[in-house]
mmCIF file of all heavy atoms in Angstrom:
data_model
loop_
_atom_site.group_PDB
_atom_site.id
_atom_site.type_symbol
_atom_site.label_atom_id
_atom_site.label_comp_id
_atom_site.label_asym_id
_atom_site.label_seq_id
_atom_site.Cartn_x
_atom_site.Cartn_y
_atom_site.Cartn_z
ATOM 1 N N VAL A 91 1.035 -6.080 18.762
ATOM 2 C CA VAL A 91 1.641 -6.134 20.097
ATOM 3 C C VAL A 91 0.644 -6.677 21.115
ATOM 4 O O VAL A 91 0.981 -7.497 21.961
ATOM 5 C CB VAL A 91 2.154 -4.732 20.511
ATOM 6 C CG1 VAL A 91 2.523 -4.688 21.979
ATOM 7 C CG2 VAL A 91 3.331 -4.334 19.654
ATOM 8 N N MET A 92 -0.603 -6.259 21.008
ATOM 9 C CA MET A 92 -1.620 -6.747 21.937
ATOM 10 C C MET A 92 -1.850 -8.246 21.758
ATOM 11 O O MET A 92 -1.977 -8.984 22.736
ATOM 12 C CB MET A 92 -2.928 -5.998 21.708
ATOM 13 C CG MET A 92 -4.009 -6.371 22.705
ATOM 14 S SD MET A 92 -5.543 -5.535 22.389
ATOM 15 C CE MET A 92 -6.101 -6.402 20.955
ATOM 16 N N LEU A 93 -1.872 -8.732 20.525
ATOM 17 C CA LEU A 93 -2.077 -10.153 20.283
ATOM 18 C C LEU A 93 -0.870 -10.990 20.660
ATOM 19 O O LEU A 93 -1.004 -12.171 20.982
ATOM 20 C CB LEU A 93 -2.425 -10.388 18.813
ATOM 21 C CG LEU A 93 -3.795 -9.903 18.371
ATOM 22 C CD1 LEU A 93 -3.947 -10.058 16.876
ATOM 23 C CD2 LEU A 93 -4.885 -10.664 19.109
ATOM 24 N N ALA A 94 0.314 -10.394 20.636
ATOM 25 C CA ALA A 94 1.533 -11.144 20.941
ATOM 26 C C ALA A 94 1.760 -11.305 22.440
ATOM 27 O O ALA A 94 2.547 -12.161 22.844
ATOM 28 C CB ALA A 94 2.741 -10.458 20.309
ATOM 29 N N ARG A 95 1.100 -10.495 23.252
ATOM 30 C CA ARG A 95 1.280 -10.608 24.699
ATOM 31 C C ARG A 95 0.735 -11.925 25.192
ATOM 32 O O ARG A 95 -0.269 -12.421 24.727
ATOM 33 C CB ARG A 95 0.540 -9.485 25.417
ATOM 34 C CG ARG A 95 1.217 -8.155 25.283
ATOM 35 C CD ARG A 95 0.596 -7.125 26.175
ATOM 36 N NE ARG A 95 0.642 -7.565 27.565
ATOM 37 C CZ ARG A 95 -0.255 -7.245 28.478
ATOM 38 N NH1 ARG A 95 -1.277 -6.492 28.134
ATOM 39 N NH2 ARG A 95 -0.148 -7.654 29.707
ATOM 40 N N ARG A 96 1.414 -12.501 26.176
ATOM 41 C CA ARG A 96 0.927 -13.735 26.785
ATOM 42 C C ARG A 96 -0.094 -13.387 27.842
ATOM 43 O O ARG A 96 0.055 -12.413 28.578
ATOM 44 C CB ARG A 96 2.074 -14.488 27.424
ATOM 45 C CG ARG A 96 3.028 -15.050 26.423
ATOM 46 C CD ARG A 96 3.972 -15.949 27.132
ATOM 47 N NE ARG A 96 5.312 -15.647 26.678
ATOM 48 C CZ ARG A 96 6.392 -16.150 27.186
ATOM 49 N NH1 ARG A 96 6.311 -16.967 28.196
ATOM 50 N NH2 ARG A 96 7.559 -15.844 26.719
ATOM 51 N N GLU A 97 -1.109 -14.219 27.944
ATOM 52 C CA GLU A 97 -2.150 -14.005 28.935
ATOM 53 C C GLU A 97 -1.656 -14.425 30.324
ATOM 54 O O GLU A 97 -1.079 -15.487 30.485
ATOM 55 C CB GLU A 97 -3.397 -14.815 28.581
ATOM 56 C CG GLU A 97 -4.072 -14.352 27.316
ATOM 57 C CD GLU A 97 -4.693 -12.982 27.463
ATOM 58 O OE1 GLU A 97 -5.165 -12.642 28.556
ATOM 59 O OE2 GLU A 97 -4.685 -12.238 26.469
ATOM 60 N N GLY A 98 -1.904 -13.602 31.315
ATOM 61 C CA GLY A 98 -1.612 -13.949 32.699
ATOM 62 C C GLY A 98 -0.145 -13.990 33.062
ATOM 63 O O GLY A 98 0.224 -14.552 34.081
ATOM 64 N N VAL A 99 0.707 -13.440 32.248
ATOM 65 C CA VAL A 99 2.139 -13.463 32.537
ATOM 66 C C VAL A 99 2.591 -12.028 32.751
ATOM 67 O O VAL A 99 2.444 -11.188 31.875
ATOM 68 C CB VAL A 99 2.932 -14.095 31.378
ATOM 69 C CG1 VAL A 99 4.413 -14.040 31.662
ATOM 70 C CG2 VAL A 99 2.476 -15.511 31.152
ATOM 71 N N GLY A 100 3.117 -11.770 33.938
ATOM 72 C CA GLY A 100 3.619 -10.434 34.227
ATOM 73 C C GLY A 100 5.025 -10.268 33.705
ATOM 74 O O GLY A 100 5.651 -11.197 33.195
ATOM 75 N N GLU A 103 7.525 -12.447 35.595
ATOM 76 C CA GLU A 103 7.383 -13.868 35.347
ATOM 77 C C GLU A 103 7.856 -14.258 33.950
ATOM 78 O O GLU A 103 8.254 -15.395 33.733
ATOM 79 C CB GLU A 103 5.929 -14.285 35.524
ATOM 80 C CG GLU A 103 5.444 -14.130 36.954
ATOM 81 C CD GLU A 103 3.957 -14.396 37.056
ATOM 82 O OE1 GLU A 103 3.334 -14.696 36.022
ATOM 83 O OE2 GLU A 103 3.428 -14.282 38.155
ATOM 84 N N SER A 104 7.818 -13.345 33.023
ATOM 85 C CA SER A 104 8.179 -13.710 31.660
ATOM 86 C C SER A 104 9.686 -13.685 31.438
ATOM 87 O O SER A 104 10.179 -14.360 30.551
ATOM 88 C CB SER A 104 7.494 -12.781 30.663
ATOM 89 O OG SER A 104 7.961 -11.469 30.831
ATOM 90 N N ILE A 105 10.423 -12.932 32.235
ATOM 91 C CA ILE A 105 11.869 -12.843 32.059
ATOM 92 C C ILE A 105 12.532 -13.503 33.269
ATOM 93 O O ILE A 105 12.573 -12.939 34.358
ATOM 94 C CB ILE A 105 12.333 -11.378 31.940
ATOM 95 C CG1 ILE A 105 11.634 -10.698 30.793
ATOM 96 C CG2 ILE A 105 13.837 -11.302 31.773
ATOM 97 C CD1 ILE A 105 11.891 -9.221 30.695
#
Side-chain angles (χ1 to χ4, degrees):
V91 168
M92 184 182 73
L93 290 174
R95 286 189 58 211
R96 291 189 226 173
E97 294 292 327
V99 177
E103 295 173 0
S104 64
I105 302 173

